Amino acid sequence: MNIAVYSGSFNPLHKGHEAIIRFLTQEAGFDLVYLVVTPQNPFKQTHTLPAGQDRFDAAVAAVARHPELKVKLLDIELKMTPPQYTIRTLDALKELEPYNDFTLVIGADNLASFAGWRFHERILREYGVVVFPRKGYHRGHDRARLLREDPSYKIRLLKAPLVTISSTEIRNGLAEGKDMSAWLM
């Protein structure tokens, strides 16, 4: 099967994530999306992030409300010893399921800094990435820059709608006492 590996803190899962999952399975040709809740992004501060298990449990509840989605929630990184680098996750999935093809899902903001990821070369050669648009980022320039590094890199820019809500906006709204339920998955 062709599996899209979509990882993140998902703090919380929202309608934008849902739209991306739907696009991946309905428009981009993936059979299934593996949603991987990460315990800690190595590029982000730890002090504001709820525990990984709490976010995983919230994601389980959110995914359960959408049984029509072709998505499987994974806690593989919560069980790994730190640091949870993406390449380790992809390699572990490939070892568990050698018959599947895995492709990493990222936003254009991540593509802009992808050369700073641990073993980014292996990710791009062996697994590849599909890239969603993000406001303020030009995916074409970043893709071209990486392909100059190695033309064999697998980088697919998706012609998907721009997701205009973020988990940060939802958390901020909740902190201000606003009803953000319409945005939650």
Side-chain angles (χ1 to χ4, degrees):
M1 286 198 322
N2 194 13
I3 309 291
V5 179
Y6 187 15
S7 65
S9 58
F10 304 117
N11 182 31
L13 267 173
H14 55 69
K15 293 294 183 182
H17 296 125
E18 179 184 342
I20 289 170
I21 292 166
R22 288 184 192 281
F23 187 90
L24 289 165
T25 57
Q26 295 173 2
E27 304 290 330
F30 289 95
D31 300 306
L32 189 63
V33 174
Y34 281 5
L35 203 64
V36 179
V37 176
T38 61
Q40 177 58 45
N41 181 326
F43 296 112
K44 293 185 180 179
Q45 302 261 351
T46 60
H47 60 81
T48 59
L49 193 61
Q53 190 62 51
D54 292 341
R55 288 179 287 109
F56 181 79
D57 293 344
V60 168
V63 167
R65 290 189 290 271
H66 299 278
E68 76 284 1
L69 292 177
K70 295 178 181 176
V71 62
K72 179 178 178 181
L73 196 57
L74 301 178
D75 62 354
I76 187 170
E77 286 194 0
L78 298 178
K79 296 175 180 176
M80 294 173 81
T81 56
Q84 292 83 2
Y85 293 119
T86 301
I87 189 64
R88 290 182 59 214
T89 304
L90 292 168
D91 287 347
L93 289 171
K94 192 63 176 175
E95 186 174 323
L96 288 169
E97 302 174 13
Y99 44 85
N100 285 330
D101 292 319
F102 298 100
T103 304
L104 182 64
V105 178
I106 62 173
D109 54 329
N110 285 314
L111 185 64
S113 62
F114 205 74
W117 287 37
R118 177 71 55 130
F119 299 114
H120 76 278
E121 305 92 343
R122 279 198 52 227
I123 294 170
L124 294 173
R125 279 189 206 111
E126 296 173 29
Y127 299 100
V129 295
V130 292
V131 186
F132 276 87
R134 289 293 296 258
K135 186 177 181 183
Y137 292 90
H138 194 287
R139 301 174 301 162
H141 293 305
D142 294 321
R143 179 180 182 268
R145 179 180 40 78
L146 286 164
L147 288 175
R148 281 193 299 275
E149 182 180 312
D150 186 334
S152 72
Y153 286 167
K154 297 180 242 178
I155 305 170
R156 181 175 160 203
L157 305 181
L158 296 176
K159 294 181 182 179
L162 184 66
V163 171
T164 58
I165 188 69
S166 73
S167 294
T168 302
E169 290 173 299
I170 291 170
R171 287 192 310 273
N172 290 343
L174 291 169
E176 295 169 7
K178 295 180 182 175
D179 178 9
M180 303 301 288
S181 59
W183 292 104
L184 297 175
M185 188 172 142

